[in-house]
Amino acid sequence: MLAIFFLCLIVLSAVTASIPEDGRLNFTQLAWKYGHRSEEFDVTTEDGYILKLFHITGNEPTKPVFLMHGILDSADTYLLRGKKSIAVNLAEAGYDVWVGNVRGNKYSRRHVKLNPDKNKKKFWNFSLNEMGMYDLPASIDFILNKTGQKKLAAIGHSQGTSSFYVLGSTRPEYNKKISVFISLAPIAYLNDVGPVVAGMMKMWPLISGFFERLGYEGVLEDHSAANQLMQFICSQKELGYDVCGKLGLGAIAGEDSEELEREFFDVVLGHYPAGTSRKAFAHFTQIHNNARFAPYDYGIVKNLFVYKSAAPPAYNLSKATMPIVLLAATNDMLSGIRDVQRLKRELPNVVHYHVMERKEFNHVDYIWGKNIDVYMTPLLRDLLRKFA
Ligand SMILES: *[C@@H]1O[C@H](CO)[C@@H](O)[C@H](O)[C@H]1NC(C)=O
Ligand SMILES: *[C@@H]1O[C@H](CO)[C@@H](O)[C@H](O)[C@H]1NC(C)=O
Ligand SMILES: *[C@@H]1O[C@H](CO)[C@@H](O)[C@H](O)[C@H]1NC(C)=O
Ligand SMILES: *[C@@H]1O[C@H](CO)[C@@H](O)[C@H](O)[C@H]1NC(C)=O
């Protein structure tokens, strides 16, 4: 009976589900489709992870801009809006655009020694902390070396902002390599979040235990069973968009379906989620539960061993002296205004703070919004002109 039901679902999905072309192209193919050549580089971190770094070629290397994606995302995110997207727009404005990927996502599932499928416990033993301490320095040094510049401008979204705050606090020598860091949906604190996000954080031990039992250390990976199921449900013609795009994403990121139309949501499904570690999720739930921006909490006994203190020492944000722009939004259910204001008070060098005018503006409009060319890319170009 159940088998027949699933068979029907599969047949139904084959007929009705549709991932459009842009949902199936990789970074280089998308760049090409929208008029740009892209180079692919492998960057190795101090701790052996091999990251994919993309470069859109054609511009003078004098004005490098480095883009960093959010949680479970990849470099693709900066191209998904095609001609309107941030990467294409900045390249057309003359900037030398570099787009990174953090360890564990679909482009960066590699390590000099460890195999993500065989050495699971070791490979996936990372969180935001390692992204900030190792992935960003390796990518930044690579770009500066290739361009022969002393500084670059950077733009990050969500977790992509958190990793830069970790970088500035833990490796202060990198502050002087960054002319300006533009934070889209800044996250250091995770307390002013929507009720669904708060609920998911509470349920995390349960979800995590479930993944652990299944032997998943990497979660929501590209082509994983969980992803296929989600894609299957969310790309259904009739209800997929309403259930996943409006309700689901709306509850997590803030509802703004006007900016995330059905056709585009299907493109997003082809690229997102792109995988991260269970530990990276756990780390964010700790940041929420403890109301502290601090490294991973192993529990008292192991903390004493790892940090020489019962609790991990909070990241010292006053060491993150790079010039920082904070862009926030009132309908963002992940990066709440109160959290951003707390961050603003603790960062020593915020050069600009701006709350997006549109009151429906949510967590993903910065990168995926339909009118990104009206409210985002002109703003980014202004900010780069002024501060980079
Ligand atoms: C993207 O696709 C092109 C064409 O199939 C391929 O040559 C390239 O290696 C792919 N890049 C990545 C990073 O997957
Ligand atoms: C994970 O990393 C922590 C901190 O570096 C270390 O103490 C721990 O032993 C590692 N766990 C595994 C399974 O490698
Ligand atoms: C880049 O790195 C290479 C190899 O380490 C080094 O020889 C070269 O001088 C560096 N270039 C710049 C501009 O720093
Ligand atoms: C944080 O960093 C600042 C600037 O380097 C320093 O003065 C301060 O003592 C540090 N705070 C802690 C708690 O380590």
Side-chain angles (χ1 to χ4, degrees), residues 47-62:
D47 57 346
Y49 288 81
I50 303 170
L51 314 174
K52 190 66 82 186
L53 178 65
F54 296 105
H55 176 220
I56 296 184
T57 60
N59 289 328
E60 289 294 311
T62 49

PDB file of all heavy atoms in Angstrom, residues 47-62:
ATOM      1  N   ASP A  47      44.398  24.063   7.919  1.00  0.00           N
ATOM      2  CA  ASP A  47      44.038  22.760   8.480  1.00  0.00           C
ATOM      3  C   ASP A  47      43.570  21.770   7.398  1.00  0.00           C
ATOM      4  O   ASP A  47      42.889  20.787   7.694  1.00  0.00           O
ATOM      5  CB  ASP A  47      43.009  22.899   9.621  1.00  0.00           C
ATOM      6  CG  ASP A  47      41.729  23.610   9.192  1.00  0.00           C
ATOM      7  OD1 ASP A  47      41.717  24.221   8.108  1.00  0.00           O
ATOM      8  OD2 ASP A  47      40.736  23.542   9.942  1.00  0.00           O
ATOM      9  N   GLY A  48      43.954  22.052   6.153  1.00  0.00           N
ATOM     10  CA  GLY A  48      43.849  21.018   5.120  1.00  0.00           C
ATOM     11  C   GLY A  48      42.575  20.934   4.294  1.00  0.00           C
ATOM     12  O   GLY A  48      42.461  20.064   3.423  1.00  0.00           O
ATOM     13  N   TYR A  49      41.622  21.817   4.529  1.00  0.00           N
ATOM     14  CA  TYR A  49      40.400  21.792   3.710  1.00  0.00           C
ATOM     15  C   TYR A  49      40.682  22.445   2.361  1.00  0.00           C
ATOM     16  O   TYR A  49      41.441  23.410   2.284  1.00  0.00           O
ATOM     17  CB  TYR A  49      39.239  22.508   4.421  1.00  0.00           C
ATOM     18  CG  TYR A  49      38.715  21.698   5.586  1.00  0.00           C
ATOM     19  CD1 TYR A  49      39.368  21.718   6.814  1.00  0.00           C
ATOM     20  CD2 TYR A  49      37.599  20.893   5.441  1.00  0.00           C
ATOM     21  CE1 TYR A  49      38.918  20.951   7.878  1.00  0.00           C
ATOM     22  CE2 TYR A  49      37.134  20.123   6.499  1.00  0.00           C
ATOM     23  CZ  TYR A  49      37.801  20.159   7.719  1.00  0.00           C
ATOM     24  OH  TYR A  49      37.358  19.391   8.768  1.00  0.00           O
ATOM     25  N   ILE A  50      40.079  21.888   1.312  1.00  0.00           N
ATOM     26  CA  ILE A  50      40.293  22.437  -0.032  1.00  0.00           C
ATOM     27  C   ILE A  50      39.008  23.125  -0.476  1.00  0.00           C
ATOM     28  O   ILE A  50      37.958  22.492  -0.624  1.00  0.00           O
ATOM     29  CB  ILE A  50      40.698  21.323  -1.024  1.00  0.00           C
ATOM     30  CG1 ILE A  50      41.956  20.619  -0.507  1.00  0.00           C
ATOM     31  CG2 ILE A  50      40.932  21.903  -2.406  1.00  0.00           C
ATOM     32  CD1 ILE A  50      42.315  19.353  -1.261  1.00  0.00           C
ATOM     33  N   LEU A  51      39.110  24.443  -0.630  1.00  0.00           N
ATOM     34  CA  LEU A  51      37.922  25.257  -0.909  1.00  0.00           C
ATOM     35  C   LEU A  51      37.924  25.709  -2.358  1.00  0.00           C
ATOM     36  O   LEU A  51      38.972  25.995  -2.925  1.00  0.00           O
ATOM     37  CB  LEU A  51      37.920  26.506  -0.016  1.00  0.00           C
ATOM     38  CG  LEU A  51      38.224  26.328   1.462  1.00  0.00           C
ATOM     39  CD1 LEU A  51      38.319  27.694   2.136  1.00  0.00           C
ATOM     40  CD2 LEU A  51      37.158  25.463   2.136  1.00  0.00           C
ATOM     41  N   LYS A  52      36.744  25.795  -2.927  1.00  0.00           N
ATOM     42  CA  LYS A  52      36.617  26.304  -4.287  1.00  0.00           C
ATOM     43  C   LYS A  52      36.397  27.805  -4.228  1.00  0.00           C
ATOM     44  O   LYS A  52      35.549  28.294  -3.485  1.00  0.00           O
ATOM     45  CB  LYS A  52      35.420  25.611  -4.960  1.00  0.00           C
ATOM     46  CG  LYS A  52      35.299  25.846  -6.430  1.00  0.00           C
ATOM     47  CD  LYS A  52      36.431  25.248  -7.235  1.00  0.00           C
ATOM     48  CE  LYS A  52      36.253  23.766  -7.513  1.00  0.00           C
ATOM     49  NZ  LYS A  52      37.453  23.196  -8.191  1.00  0.00           N
ATOM     50  N   LEU A  53      37.233  28.508  -4.986  1.00  0.00           N
ATOM     51  CA  LEU A  53      37.103  29.962  -5.054  1.00  0.00           C
ATOM     52  C   LEU A  53      36.874  30.348  -6.515  1.00  0.00           C
ATOM     53  O   LEU A  53      37.631  29.911  -7.392  1.00  0.00           O
ATOM     54  CB  LEU A  53      38.387  30.603  -4.508  1.00  0.00           C
ATOM     55  CG  LEU A  53      38.482  32.126  -4.521  1.00  0.00           C
ATOM     56  CD1 LEU A  53      37.447  32.764  -3.601  1.00  0.00           C
ATOM     57  CD2 LEU A  53      39.889  32.576  -4.081  1.00  0.00           C
ATOM     58  N   PHE A  54      35.827  31.102  -6.772  1.00  0.00           N
ATOM     59  CA  PHE A  54      35.522  31.515  -8.146  1.00  0.00           C
ATOM     60  C   PHE A  54      35.942  32.963  -8.371  1.00  0.00           C
ATOM     61  O   PHE A  54      35.861  33.793  -7.463  1.00  0.00           O
ATOM     62  CB  PHE A  54      34.010  31.387  -8.416  1.00  0.00           C
ATOM     63  CG  PHE A  54      33.501  29.980  -8.358  1.00  0.00           C
ATOM     64  CD1 PHE A  54      32.758  29.542  -7.267  1.00  0.00           C
ATOM     65  CD2 PHE A  54      33.765  29.084  -9.391  1.00  0.00           C
ATOM     66  CE1 PHE A  54      32.275  28.241  -7.205  1.00  0.00           C
ATOM     67  CE2 PHE A  54      33.289  27.775  -9.330  1.00  0.00           C
ATOM     68  CZ  PHE A  54      32.543  27.355  -8.241  1.00  0.00           C
ATOM     69  N   HIS A  55      36.368  33.233  -9.600  1.00  0.00           N
ATOM     70  CA  HIS A  55      36.790  34.578  -9.975  1.00  0.00           C
ATOM     71  C   HIS A  55      36.140  34.936 -11.295  1.00  0.00           C
ATOM     72  O   HIS A  55      36.284  34.205 -12.273  1.00  0.00           O
ATOM     73  CB  HIS A  55      38.321  34.597 -10.110  1.00  0.00           C
ATOM     74  CG  HIS A  55      38.859  35.908 -10.581  1.00  0.00           C
ATOM     75  ND1 HIS A  55      39.895  36.004 -11.485  1.00  0.00           N
ATOM     76  CD2 HIS A  55      38.496  37.186 -10.269  1.00  0.00           C
ATOM     77  CE1 HIS A  55      40.146  37.286 -11.705  1.00  0.00           C
ATOM     78  NE2 HIS A  55      39.323  38.017 -10.989  1.00  0.00           N
ATOM     79  N   ILE A  56      35.434  36.031 -11.312  1.00  0.00           N
ATOM     80  CA  ILE A  56      34.851  36.511 -12.573  1.00  0.00           C
ATOM     81  C   ILE A  56      35.897  37.379 -13.240  1.00  0.00           C
ATOM     82  O   ILE A  56      36.353  38.376 -12.661  1.00  0.00           O
ATOM     83  CB  ILE A  56      33.539  37.274 -12.310  1.00  0.00           C
ATOM     84  CG1 ILE A  56      32.532  36.284 -11.711  1.00  0.00           C
ATOM     85  CG2 ILE A  56      33.010  37.896 -13.595  1.00  0.00           C
ATOM     86  CD1 ILE A  56      31.156  36.826 -11.478  1.00  0.00           C
ATOM     87  N   THR A  57      36.334  36.971 -14.416  1.00  0.00           N
ATOM     88  CA  THR A  57      37.480  37.633 -15.057  1.00  0.00           C
ATOM     89  C   THR A  57      37.021  38.782 -15.949  1.00  0.00           C
ATOM     90  O   THR A  57      35.842  38.944 -16.227  1.00  0.00           O
ATOM     91  CB  THR A  57      38.278  36.634 -15.907  1.00  0.00           C
ATOM     92  OG1 THR A  57      37.403  36.110 -16.913  1.00  0.00           O
ATOM     93  CG2 THR A  57      38.802  35.498 -15.068  1.00  0.00           C
ATOM     94  N   GLY A  58      37.984  39.557 -16.381  1.00  0.00           N
ATOM     95  CA  GLY A  58      37.689  40.613 -17.350  1.00  0.00           C
ATOM     96  C   GLY A  58      37.945  42.015 -16.834  1.00  0.00           C
ATOM     97  O   GLY A  58      38.101  42.945 -17.609  1.00  0.00           O
ATOM     98  N   ASN A  59      38.004  42.187 -15.510  1.00  0.00           N
ATOM     99  CA  ASN A  59      38.248  43.517 -14.965  1.00  0.00           C
ATOM    100  C   ASN A  59      39.668  43.643 -14.417  1.00  0.00           C
ATOM    101  O   ASN A  59      40.313  42.657 -14.104  1.00  0.00           O
ATOM    102  CB  ASN A  59      37.235  43.839 -13.865  1.00  0.00           C
ATOM    103  CG  ASN A  59      35.850  44.076 -14.429  1.00  0.00           C
ATOM    104  OD1 ASN A  59      35.704  44.574 -15.552  1.00  0.00           O
ATOM    105  ND2 ASN A  59      34.839  43.703 -13.672  1.00  0.00           N
ATOM    106  N   GLU A  60      40.137  44.875 -14.316  1.00  0.00           N
ATOM    107  CA  GLU A  60      41.432  45.163 -13.709  1.00  0.00           C
ATOM    108  C   GLU A  60      41.431  44.624 -12.275  1.00  0.00           C
ATOM    109  O   GLU A  60      40.423  44.759 -11.570  1.00  0.00           O
ATOM    110  CB  GLU A  60      41.651  46.679 -13.656  1.00  0.00           C
ATOM    111  CG  GLU A  60      41.903  47.323 -15.004  1.00  0.00           C
ATOM    112  CD  GLU A  60      43.221  46.871 -15.606  1.00  0.00           C
ATOM    113  OE1 GLU A  60      44.230  46.911 -14.881  1.00  0.00           O
ATOM    114  OE2 GLU A  60      43.225  46.432 -16.782  1.00  0.00           O
ATOM    115  N   PRO A  61      42.559  44.033 -11.865  1.00  0.00           N
ATOM    116  CA  PRO A  61      42.574  43.468 -10.501  1.00  0.00           C
ATOM    117  C   PRO A  61      42.759  44.517  -9.413  1.00  0.00           C
ATOM    118  O   PRO A  61      43.082  44.192  -8.278  1.00  0.00           O
ATOM    119  CB  PRO A  61      43.779  42.521 -10.556  1.00  0.00           C
ATOM    120  CG  PRO A  61      44.678  43.093 -11.578  1.00  0.00           C
ATOM    121  CD  PRO A  61      43.818  43.799 -12.589  1.00  0.00           C
ATOM    122  N   THR A  62      42.554  45.799  -9.740  1.00  0.00           N
ATOM    123  CA  THR A  62      42.853  46.831  -8.744  1.00  0.00           C
ATOM    124  C   THR A  62      41.769  46.970  -7.676  1.00  0.00           C
ATOM    125  O   THR A  62      42.015  47.546  -6.626  1.00  0.00           O
ATOM    126  CB  THR A  62      43.019  48.206  -9.427  1.00  0.00           C
ATOM    127  OG1 THR A  62      41.901  48.401 -10.292  1.00  0.00           O
ATOM    128  CG2 THR A  62      44.298  48.250 -10.237  1.00  0.00           C
TER     129      THR A  62
END
